[in-house]
Amino acid sequence: MIIKILRFLRGYVTFSAKGNFTERLINIISNKGMLYWDILPEKGGVTLSMPIKDYKNLHHYLYGKGIRTKIKSRHGLPFIKQKYKNRVGILVGGLLFAVILILLSNFIWIINVKGNNEIPDSRVIQVMRDNGFYEGVFSGSIDVKSLEHKIIGEIPEIRWMSINITGCKADIEIKEGYKVPKIVEKNKICNVKSKRDAVITEIRVSGGTARTKVGSAVIKGQLLISGVTVSEDGKSRLVHADGEVYGRTKYEKTFKVPKSSVVNNPTDNVMVRRRCNIFWLSFPLDFKPITYDVYKSITKKEALNINGTDLPLSLTEQYVTEMERKESSLKENKKALRQQASVYEVFNFKDKEIETRKENFYEDKNNYYLKINYTVIEELSETSEIIVQ
Amino acid sequence: MKKSNENNRKIPLPLYNSLPIIEIIGNREITIEGSTGVLKYESDNIKVNTKSMVVSIEGRNLQLKFLSSSSLVVEGVILSLEFIM
């Protein structure tokens, strides 16, 4: 292999020699110590390969011997150089390519987050970005250990993490921590009371004595499970009352929107603007200005993906939809009120089950109203410590 | 053993120096040390000149594997070897 490389660097020719007594050629090159290889007999002569320098000298020795040589093929770097002598651009381009390749290989272009189930990738990447680690950062400027400590400090859910940098790729391996269960202080003497007015639907007692039963109505603060238990011999004992008590409760909520409210409705006019992102550079592929006064914009980014790895080459598409401003109709107002109600339910009835909801629309001079009466099944228990002096 | 040594002595010592040393591996490769040039080079016949004789190699697909000013190696299918004095 090394010999082949050396031959390539020096350059060589494969030629045929024909004429009278071509064996003399073999004797000349062996006696003069010339380099040659692949010497093969052929009809009326021989073919062989030799370096350019020796081939040039050979003509001097063959003079007057009646042997003619003909080059069959030329190989090696000197011939390539000769071919591209007048095309400096290729050399410059090649050098530029090498320089850019070396330069860009010192940056981080791909960040992969692995091992996370609960913590979203975006959160980890955002925190890392805030700490100076992002796609396009110079890899020599990163203090991996210090960065790992910072990230663990800022995301307490992470139990362990490791940043492995391989060339231009950074693999972030994460081990998430375990959720600490709620510690029940069994030694603390307490009662369980109701936190709302309700009708009891289910009682599960795991400590203490139930003081109510299914179907009973209770008011806020009423004792549900007592921490005082009486044994068979009549002696009373203070314990940690514990259990789950479910009840049917009622909520009422009124939402309102002004009658003169303005809504934005999307029209059929949609404009797509594209941008190309290469590394940290982003440039537009079209120069369409946004001509709409009121618009809604949705941006989608798609990176070039090879074998599951996103490359630092992506296309961003911005969908701009023209919006039409107009006075809201009754239908739209009802929709807006229902949307308010949905948001309210998501945040306020997270751990509760809505049994029934009764809607009532009404209006006055200025506003539309939506009054909803909810019947909800919820957990009522609330511990109340018994202080014994 | 003694008889063999006596036979060797029958060849005069200076003659040894002019004789080529020929080594054959099966019928595939032949090494000739003491060659002074190639007289014929064809794929079925190679004639090699030495100081005291011409060695003629006949065969198929014969070719020079190595060649220097005083030795050479021929490879191919060697069918016969002839010494022309």
Side-chain angles (χ1 to χ4, degrees):
Chain A
M1 187 65 189
I2 291 168
I3 290 170
K4 278 186 180 175
I5 293 168
L6 287 172
R7 282 175 185 171
F8 178 82
L9 292 174
R10 291 179 66 182
Y12 64 94
V13 289
T14 302
F15 65 97
S16 66
K18 286 184 179 173
N20 300 326
F21 199 50
T22 49
E23 288 78 7
R24 270 192 293 186
L25 170 76
I26 300 168
N27 295 326
I28 288 166
I29 57 176
S30 65
N31 289 330
K32 300 296 174 189
M34 291 176 175
L35 274 173
Y36 61 92
W37 57 92
D38 294 344
I39 181 163
L40 297 167
E42 64 170 27
K43 200 178 176 184
V46 289
T47 60
L48 66 153
S49 300
M50 66 169 27
I52 305 165
K53 196 178 164 187
D54 288 340
Y55 180 72
K56 281 177 183 169
N57 291 334
L58 186 66
H59 281 95
H60 170 68
Y61 298 114
L62 292 179
Y63 184 74
K65 301 276 190 311
I67 300 170
R68 296 180 313 279
T69 60
K70 190 180 176 188
I71 292 173
K72 283 185 162 179
S73 57
R74 298 171 173 85
H75 310 272
L77 194 62
F79 294 110
I80 296 169
K81 253 167 70 179
Q82 181 73 17
K83 194 176 172 185
Y84 295 108
K85 194 172 69 180
N86 297 323
R87 302 177 73 175
V88 187
I90 290 175
L91 181 71
V92 174
L95 284 173
L96 210 63
F97 172 76
V99 168
I100 291 170
L101 192 72
I102 293 164
L103 193 75
L104 294 183
S105 63
N106 290 313
F107 293 85
I108 300 292
W109 296 118
I110 299 158
I111 299 174
N112 288 329
V113 183
K114 297 174 184 171
N116 52 326
N117 296 322
E118 300 287 327
I119 310 162
D121 286 5
S122 56
R123 187 178 167 204
V124 178
I125 288 168
Q126 185 56 48
V127 173
M128 295 196 81
R129 178 175 281 277
D130 295 344
N131 284 286
F133 190 86
Y134 47 85
E135 285 167 351
V137 72
F138 178 59
S139 54
S141 67
I142 301 160
D143 181 358
V144 173
K145 286 284 157 204
S146 157
L147 185 66
E148 284 172 3
H149 286 137
K150 278 183 188 170
I151 305 299
I152 292 171
E154 289 190 29
I155 308 176
E157 296 96 317
I158 297 177
R159 180 162 50 96
W160 171 88
M161 81 175 294
S162 170
I163 301 169
N164 304 314
I165 297 171
T166 319
C168 298
K169 190 177 167 191
D171 288 316
I172 319 293
E173 281 192 55
I174 288 175
K175 294 267 185 258
E176 291 176 352
Y178 302 108
K179 280 182 183 170
V180 181
K182 191 183 167 187
I183 297 164
V184 179
E185 292 178 49
K186 291 281 183 188
N187 297 329
K188 195 186 271 184
I189 302 158
C190 63
N191 288 323
V192 173
K193 291 183 175 177
S194 173
K195 56 185 173 189
R196 283 190 67 84
D197 297 352
V199 175
I200 305 298
T201 55
E202 189 181 348
I203 303 174
R204 289 182 214 153
V205 180
S206 55
T209 312
R211 293 289 181 209
T212 185
K213 54 189 176 185
V214 175
S216 303
V218 292
I219 57 165
K220 185 182 176 185
Q222 186 174 330
L223 185 66
L224 300 175
I225 304 168
S226 172
V228 182
T229 56
V230 181
S231 58
E232 286 177 1
D233 56 1
K235 286 182 180 174
S236 59
R237 194 161 55 93
L238 296 173
V239 293
H240 175 89
D242 195 14
E244 290 175 5
V245 182
Y246 292 90
R248 186 176 292 112
T249 57
K250 288 191 173 176
Y251 288 83
E252 186 184 287
K253 181 74 184 169
T254 306
F255 307 96
K256 74 168 183 181
V257 285
K259 277 185 172 174
S260 58
S261 63
V262 175
V263 289
N264 294 323
N265 285 336
T267 62
D268 294 336
N269 298 331
V270 180
M271 192 166 79
V272 184
R273 302 168 88 209
R274 292 182 179 88
R275 292 183 78 83
C276 183
N277 310 301
I278 302 172
F279 303 120
W280 62 84
L281 299 171
S282 174
F283 50 88
L285 295 178
D286 42 37
F287 296 92
K288 293 179 202 165
I290 300 173
T291 51
Y292 311 139
D293 293 332
V294 184
Y295 59 87
K296 181 177 77 175
S297 171
I298 297 169
T299 306
K300 286 180 187 172
K301 189 177 179 183
E302 272 191 43
L304 186 66
N305 187 298
I306 295 177
N307 288 335
T309 304
D310 283 348
L311 298 184
L313 177 65
S314 60
L315 181 75
T316 306
E317 285 183 324
Q318 186 190 14
Y319 293 88
V320 181
T321 311
E322 190 184 17
M323 303 297 279
E324 193 182 36
R325 286 174 75 88
K326 63 174 186 180
E327 290 272 318
S328 56
S329 63
L330 177 65
K331 192 181 166 189
E332 281 158 351
N333 281 321
K334 279 186 176 180
K335 194 179 164 188
L337 286 166
R338 285 211 172 92
Q339 277 175 349
Q340 281 185 36
S342 299
V343 172
Y344 172 80
E345 286 166 16
V346 165
F347 286 99
N348 291 281
F349 301 146
K350 199 164 61 176
D351 303 323
K352 298 163 189 160
E353 184 195 329
I354 298 171
E355 203 174 43
T356 60
R357 62 201 296 284
K358 200 179 277 179
E359 293 180 358
N360 181 23
F361 280 101
Y362 60 94
E363 61 184 292
D364 62 11
K365 196 180 169 188
N366 300 318
N367 300 309
Y368 289 110
Y369 296 92
L370 171 64
K371 188 169 129 186
I372 305 180
N373 293 306
Y374 297 97
T375 310
V376 175
I377 302 292
E378 66 175 298
E379 221 278 317
L380 298 169
S381 61
E382 186 179 49
T383 55
S384 167
E385 199 177 346
I386 301 170
I387 299 162
V388 181
Q389 288 181 340
Chain B
M1 192 69 185
K2 195 179 174 186
K3 198 177 178 180
S4 170
N5 286 340
E6 278 172 2
N7 287 339
N8 287 343
R9 278 181 204 150
K10 282 176 188 172
I11 303 167
L13 198 63
L15 198 62
Y16 273 126
N17 296 334
S18 63
L19 290 174
I21 300 166
I22 301 171
E23 189 182 313
I24 303 175
I25 302 169
N27 71 334
R28 296 296 157 137
E29 191 176 293
I30 181 164
T31 306
I32 301 171
E33 286 181 38
S35 68
T36 54
V38 178
L39 300 175
K40 192 176 182 185
Y41 186 52
E42 287 170 1
S43 63
D44 54 357
N45 182 221
I46 294 175
K47 281 195 173 87
V48 182
N49 193 21
T50 66
K51 282 178 187 170
S52 56
M53 66 183 84
V54 172
V55 181
S56 173
I57 307 156
E58 288 198 2
R60 289 196 308 268
N61 302 325
L62 298 175
Q63 73 172 83
L64 280 166
K65 190 180 173 186
F66 168 78
L67 175 69
S68 75
S69 57
S70 61
S71 59
L72 58 83
V73 178
V74 174
E75 69 172 5
V77 180
I78 299 159
L79 298 175
S80 71
L81 198 62
E82 190 182 354
F83 302 101
I84 304 161
M85 304 298 280

